[in-house]
Amino acid sequence: MKLLFSLLLCLCLPSAWADAAPKLDIGKGGQCVEDAQWMRKNHMHVLKHQRDEAVRKGVREEKHSLKNCIECHASTKDDSVIARADSFCVACHKYEAVKLDCFECHSGKRKSAWLQRNAK
Ligand code: HEC
Ligand code: HEC
Ligand code: HEC
């Protein structure tokens, strides 16, 4: 019985791994500001560099702004990049055990939706 169980476990493992890959809600679609493959590896550098530039010198670049990412990548279901387990900025990070503090200050919501709900 034990042997049969481990045999089954071995047979099932490859598909279990496939399931563990993060499922992403890409959001609105369109075309990423950089090649998707490149972005997968380098988005953190683009964002972090910009964070320092923006905060220290007031420099902002539309193309790589966090707001721009969120406009596209927020889910079409809830306008957020962080609301659910498969939300765009959450799915990979959960899988890779990366913890972000960005959204303590930055809104994770698409601006258009945010403005609608918080009209000032
Ligand atoms: C105009 C819409 C748009 C903007 C703006 C945008 N993206 Fe994308 N991004 C996409 C789409 C669509 C894909 C999926 C394309 C593909 O898989 O070929 C993608 C793919 C990605 C991926 C790879 C996802 C995967 O499947 O592995 C990452 C990471 C990413 N984007 C991060 C960002 C970041 C960070 C920003 C802001 C600096 C940003 N994107 C801005 C539309 C956008
Ligand atoms: C303590 C608050 C705080 C935290 C935490 C924080 N930021 Fe920011 N960030 C700011 C402020 C303030 C600005 C400048 C005002 C602005 O441009 O909205 C800014 C600007 C930016 C910008 C340039 C403007 C834009 O919208 O693109 C980027 C990119 C950015 N931050 C990314 C990040 C990322 C990525 C993280 C997480 C790793 C992060 N920030 C965490 C406060 C914060
Ligand atoms: C395709 C998977 C994937 C997506 C989608 C993704 N990330 Fe990441 N992100 C990663 C990985 C993997 C790392 C860790 C890389 C490392 O450890 O060098 C990371 C790291 C980061 C870091 C640096 C964290 C640190 O403490 O060093 C920031 C900032 C970041 N991501 C922001 C974002 C934002 C904002 C979004 C949504 C717009 C996003 N990421 C979407 C995979 C992803």
Side-chain angles (χ1 to χ4, degrees):
M1 189 60 200
K2 232 183 197 165
L3 186 69
L4 183 66
F5 184 72
S6 27
L7 188 67
L8 276 172
L9 201 65
C10 286
L11 289 172
C12 292
L13 219 46
S15 63
W17 269 330
D19 284 346
K23 204 167 94 48
L24 273 182
D25 183 340
I26 294 278
K28 209 165 81 178
Q31 181 146 34
C32 200
V33 291
E34 301 291 344
D35 173 68
Q37 188 84 30
W38 185 91
M39 198 54 120
R40 208 168 294 156
K41 268 186 23 210
N42 298 299
H43 64 279
M44 57 299 281
H45 305 306
V46 173
L47 290 172
K48 279 191 150 184
H49 170 78
Q50 278 227 335
R51 174 185 178 179
D52 294 338
E53 292 276 296
V55 173
R56 273 191 282 120
K57 302 185 211 146
V59 174
R60 285 174 213 187
E61 209 219 308
E62 264 303 297
K63 184 181 158 193
H64 286 153
S65 83
L66 184 58
K67 285 171 197 140
N68 202 24
C69 319
I70 292 167
E71 279 303 309
C72 268
H73 284 297
S75 170
T76 53
K77 288 176 223 156
D78 53 25
D79 291 312
S80 175
V81 290
I82 52 171
R84 305 185 318 263
D86 69 336
S87 293
F88 189 72
C89 299
V90 173
C92 291
H93 296 157
K94 235 180 77 184
Y95 181 70
E96 303 271 350
V98 178
K99 214 164 185 313
L100 294 188
D101 67 349
C102 318
F103 302 105
E104 283 166 23
C105 297
H106 292 276
S107 169
K109 288 236 161 186
R110 186 172 280 129
K111 200 178 162 200
S112 41
W114 190 86
L115 284 175
Q116 273 163 27
R117 265 167 237 143
N118 300 272
K120 32 171 176 177

